């Protein structure tokens, strides 16, 4: 899932540290660190409890999302819409995957226009010293790249740009080119921009499926946490 979907799941608990934890694995990836359950130490300073709980929700959500019919339905909507129009593009699986995750955030913002600003406002309430403690003790990030990346994320607020067709397509094609080490394709960027109006006709269906998926996910996550306590 993309940043906003993770935040919306985490927002069921009102705590900025928990919210920050829920997007931290993706921030870490942008900073060049793999923040996964299998890599990080099991023990952690008590001050990091809520941050680590948010990360636990992130890992749980990503696993269930990528195994879900909800994900594959969204993936196939993009594949069916643009798959026959793109050629000479490698790693198409990642492209459709990325597009659905970003598009889901766009749809969630369209249904609640204030939610993006609420996410950034909450993230900015987390004490930077807490992120620095996590970075040093848990991730071996002695240059504090994770904190720098989080600060940049909060300042740029690019998730809010998903609402704009041209900016959405520019961000998507740019991320795709960067991750797959391909040249950014102007034709792909134009295709994505033109396709959004057609794809958005599925927004109501995606929202209904999201509600069902997210409700079940949080029930399962709470059960999982209760069984461990």
């Amino acid at each position: 899932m993309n940043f906003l979907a993770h935040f919306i799941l985490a927002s069921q608990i009102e705590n900025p540290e928990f919210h920050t934890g829920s997007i931290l694995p993706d921030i870490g990836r942008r900073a060049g660190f793999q923040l996964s359950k299998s890599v990080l130490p099991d023990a952690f300073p008590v001050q990091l409890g809520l941050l680590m709980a948010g990360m636990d929700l992130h890992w749980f959500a990503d696993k269930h999302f990528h195994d879900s019919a909800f994900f594959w339905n969204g993936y196939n909507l993009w594949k069916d819409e643009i798959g026959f129009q793109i050629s000479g593009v490698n790693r198409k699986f990642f492209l459709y995957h990325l597009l659905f995750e970003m598009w889901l955030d766009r749809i969630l913002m369209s249904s609640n226009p204030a939610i993006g600003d609420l996410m950034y406002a909450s993230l900015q309430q987390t004490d930077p010293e807490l992120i620095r403690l996590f970075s040093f003790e848990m991730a071996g990030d002695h240059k504090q790249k994770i904190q720098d990346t989080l600060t940049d994320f909060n300042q740029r607020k690019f998730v809010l740009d998903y609402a704009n067709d041209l900016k959405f397509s520019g961000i998507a094609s740019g991320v795709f080119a960067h991750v797959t080490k391909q040249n950014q394709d102007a034709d792909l960027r134009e295709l994505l921009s033109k396709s959004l109006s057609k794809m958005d006709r599925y927004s109501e269906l995606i929202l209904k499926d999201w509600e069902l998926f997210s409700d079940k996910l949080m029930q399962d996550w709470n059960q999982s946490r209760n069984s461990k306590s």
Side-chain angles (χ1 to χ4, degrees):
M1 289 189 297
N2 206 248
F3 296 103
L4 191 61
H6 278 298
F7 168 75
I8 289 173
L9 292 175
S11 66
Q12 298 183 38
I13 296 175
E14 295 185 9
N15 184 281
E17 294 172 17
F18 184 73
H19 300 164
T20 299
S22 74
I23 70 157
L24 199 56
D26 288 341
I27 294 295
R29 187 178 302 112
R30 294 174 70 88
F33 291 86
Q34 182 185 358
L35 304 183
S36 65
K37 187 178 293 189
S38 62
V39 170
L40 296 179
D42 291 331
F44 51 84
V46 65
Q47 305 98 300
L48 299 179
L50 283 165
L51 198 73
M52 297 302 296
M55 294 182 69
D56 184 72
L57 175 58
H58 177 106
W59 298 323
F60 188 91
D62 266 1
K63 179 181 184 303
H64 285 72
F65 176 70
H66 294 130
D67 289 340
S68 70
F70 176 51
F71 168 75
W72 286 108
N73 287 341
Y75 171 97
N76 284 320
L77 284 173
W78 274 102
K79 181 180 180 181
D80 292 345
E81 178 62 32
I82 68 170
F84 69 96
Q85 301 182 68
I86 56 177
S87 59
V89 175
N90 297 320
R91 296 187 61 182
K92 292 180 182 178
F93 171 84
F94 175 67
L95 176 61
Y96 307 138
H97 178 164
L98 170 69
L99 288 170
F100 178 49
E101 292 193 348
M102 288 181 58
W103 182 52
L104 175 59
D105 274 11
R106 171 185 166 100
I107 292 170
L108 292 170
M109 273 195 295
S110 72
S111 70
N112 183 356
I115 194 67
D117 287 320
L118 288 173
M119 176 182 74
Y120 284 112
S122 178
L123 297 179
Q124 290 169 8
Q125 292 180 51
T126 296
D127 186 351
E129 290 303 320
L130 196 70
I131 306 301
R132 294 189 182 101
L133 175 64
F134 167 84
S135 299
F136 188 85
E137 295 288 343
M138 303 295 289
D141 174 19
H142 303 298
K143 295 183 178 180
Q144 297 299 323
K145 292 181 179 179
I146 295 173
Q147 173 59 50
D148 290 345
T149 302
L150 179 60
T151 298
D152 179 70
F153 176 78
N154 285 334
Q155 290 175 345
R156 289 173 59 204
K157 299 185 178 182
F158 63 80
V159 173
L160 302 181
D161 290 336
Y162 292 2
N164 180 287
D165 291 5
L166 290 175
K167 291 181 178 180
F168 178 100
S169 59
I171 294 169
S173 59
V175 171
F176 177 70
H178 175 73
V179 172
T180 63
K181 296 178 171 55
Q182 300 177 70
N183 292 329
Q184 189 166 1
D185 189 331
D187 291 338
L188 176 61
R189 185 168 64 246
E190 183 178 357
L191 173 62
L192 297 182
S193 181
K194 291 179 178 178
S195 299
L196 278 168
S197 61
K198 298 177 183 177
M199 292 298 295
D200 283 345
R201 70 184 185 269
Y202 299 111
S203 293
E204 187 174 339
L205 174 64
I206 293 297
L207 280 173
K208 289 180 180 177
D209 287 348
W210 163 258
E211 289 173 4
L212 293 172
F213 169 78
S214 59
D215 286 349
K216 179 67 164 56
L217 178 82
M218 292 306 295
Q219 289 175 10
D220 291 346
W221 183 73
N222 284 321
Q223 279 188 339
S224 172
R225 296 282 291 180
N226 291 334
S227 67
K228 293 176 184 176
S229 59

